[in-house]
């Protein structure tokens, strides 16, 4: 028997279970009709026509007639409507769990509120945490990598490379534990890993039939390291990237810088100290007595005494090169044309390939506002790491500075040009996911004569098998790394 009361706020359903129907004991499963008492359970169900549904269900509490059962009494359950210790119907409970899986706490609570189901974010999260995890299946393609927990504490992370879902995580990088996991989960056909020898041994011991390949990130990382080894071997060629120095340029810049320093507070202070120290030391007094009289350190007095002019003690360290240096001439030109807005100048530089911040442009034009010249950049040859970054960078992401200097470097050094061509061909294969050109690329790599790449693995090592979307292992034996490669370039 039941009744329904519909109002604007809620749909209230009052129901009662049958007295003559036996109920199954929740402890032993034996049927019983011996009624102990009744009580009312209040259940929430999914909305009906946009209104919340409340079910007031009168259920029986019965005696268990099994004398060996630990339960004396039990409450009857209605299949499909009630669950033990549950105030929501199974249908509403599945809805809350599904929304929690998709939207989690706050988003799930807001979505349920649209459905006129009032639950807090904490309740949604608690129901989400009660959802059992799906049964794990052994992936066909397994990803193995280390994961930094905190500080220097690392762990091993296993990921299903097909679904991109994590499988398990344990602390440490142990080959035996990885082998044990692979033996307990047979069926891995491809293992994607980094260049770690530990993971290589673990995969070989746990899944000897699995094909071991390198991830795209680790492939490009290994390639970049080999390119840096090549640029280090050709360090003498790196100054060729600098543009030819103009005649008579440094002198005006130095002279203007000294005139600028004389107008500053620090310049005036240095000039007064220099004149005072020189006047006292010319009388034959010692550095210690001059220092006591002027309140200076003895080493400071010695520095001012050894200087020929006060500008020498004002010499600032050379300014470090900046990504804005290739655009200083353009800034000076636009300033002379009447454009004095740093924000507009920054937007113009962005169209020319400048990726720096607006604040750097603002600081660069600050001397122009005071009638002073722009700072002259200090040219220095690129480091091997910078040259390797120039070579491996995508052509569309190279700024004006790199596009101006890289062609000079490649024209000067044939080995670096050959390295650049190999890198760009390999990058094209990765971008297009086309392995048809890989055999030819490997042949050119083997006959390139570039020392960090031409060394073959040791006989005891087992070369990794490559997938169609991967590249050769860019590993170099320790004996090869110890040898210093020679360059065939002519250094100027």
């Amino acid at each position: 028997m039941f009744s329904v009361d519909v109002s604007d706020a809620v749909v209230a359903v009052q129901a009662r279970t049958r007295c003559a129907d036996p109920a199954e004991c929740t402890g032993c499963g034996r049927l019983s009709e011996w009624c102990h008492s009744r009580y009312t359970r209040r259940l929430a169900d999914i909305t009906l026509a946009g209104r919340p549904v409340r079910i007031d269900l009168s259920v029986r509490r019965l005696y268990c007639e099994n004398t060996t059962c630990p339960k004396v009494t039990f409450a009857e359950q209605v299949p499909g409507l009630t669950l033990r210790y549950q105030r929501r119907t199974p249908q509403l409970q599945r809805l809350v769990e599904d929304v929690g899986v998709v939207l989690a706490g706050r988003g799930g609570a807001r979505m349920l509120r649209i459905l006129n189901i009032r639950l807090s974010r904490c309740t949604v999260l608690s129901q989400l945490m009660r959802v059992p995890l799906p049964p794990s299946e052994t992936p066909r393609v397994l990803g193995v990598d280390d994961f930094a927990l905190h500080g220097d504490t690392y762990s091993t992370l296993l990921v299903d490379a097909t679904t991109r879902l994590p499988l398990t995580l344990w602390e440490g990088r142990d080959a035996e534990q990885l082998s044990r996991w692979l033996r307990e989960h047979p069926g891995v056909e491809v293992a994607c890993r980094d260049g770690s020898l530990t993971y290589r041994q673990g995969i070989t011991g746990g899944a000897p039939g699995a094909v071991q390949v390198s991830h795209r990130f680790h492939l490009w990382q290994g390639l970049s390291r080999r390119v840096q080894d090549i640029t280090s071997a050709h360090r003498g060629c790196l100054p060729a990237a600098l543009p030819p120095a103009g005649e008579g340029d440094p002198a005006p810049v130095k002279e203007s810088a000294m005139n600028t320093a004389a107008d500053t507070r620090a310049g005036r202070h240095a000039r007064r100290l220099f004149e005072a120290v020189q006047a006292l030391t010319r009388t034959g007094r010692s550095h210690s007595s001059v220092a006591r009289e002027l309140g200076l350190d003895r080493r400071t007095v010695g520095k001012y005494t050894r200087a020929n002019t006060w500008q020498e003690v004002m010499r600032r360290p050379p300014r470090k090169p900046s990504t804005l240096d290739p655009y200083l001439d353009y800034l000076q030109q636009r300033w002379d044309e009447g454009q004095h807005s740093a924000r507009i100048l920054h937007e113009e530089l962005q169209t020319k390939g400048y990726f720096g911040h607006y604040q750097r442009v603002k600081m660069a034009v600050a001397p122009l506002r005071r009638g002073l010249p722009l700072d002259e950049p200090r040219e220095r040859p690129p480091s091997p790491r910078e040259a390797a970054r120039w070579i491996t960078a995508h052509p569309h992401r190279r700024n004006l500075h790199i596009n101006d200097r890289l062609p000079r470097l490649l024209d000067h050094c044939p080995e670096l040009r050959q390295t650049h061509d190999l890198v760009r061909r390999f990058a094209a294969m990765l971008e297009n996911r086309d392995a048809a050109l890989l055999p030819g690329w490997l042949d050119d790599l083997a006959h390139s004569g570039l020392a960090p790449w031409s060394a073959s693995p040791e006989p005891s090592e087992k070369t990794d098998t490559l997938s169609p979307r991967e590249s050769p292992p860019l590993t170099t034996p320790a004996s090869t790394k110890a040898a210093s490669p020679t360059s065939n370039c002519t250094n100027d």
Side-chain angles (χ1 to χ4, degrees), residues 1-2 14-19 38 56-59 76:
M1 54 178 295
F2 69 93
Q14 295 183 354
R16 179 185 177 92
T17 59
R18 297 179 182 272
C19 298
R38 278 187 175 270
D56 296 330
L57 179 63
S58 176
V59 297
E76 65 175 334

Side-chain angles (χ1 to χ4, degrees), residues 142-191:
L142 177 68
V144 183
D145 202 355
D146 52 5
F147 182 81
L149 293 177
H150 54 84
D152 295 333
T153 303
Y154 284 85
S155 61
T156 298
L157 176 65
L158 303 185
V159 179
D160 187 346
T162 304
T163 61
R164 300 183 181 181
L165 295 177
L167 298 176
T168 184
L169 174 73
W170 62 74
E171 185 175 351
R173 291 174 284 195
D174 188 9
E176 179 58 32
Q177 191 169 3
L178 177 58
S179 299
R180 189 184 314 114
W181 189 92
L182 290 172
R183 287 192 295 266
E184 295 174 355
H185 301 79
V188 176
E189 301 178 6
V190 179

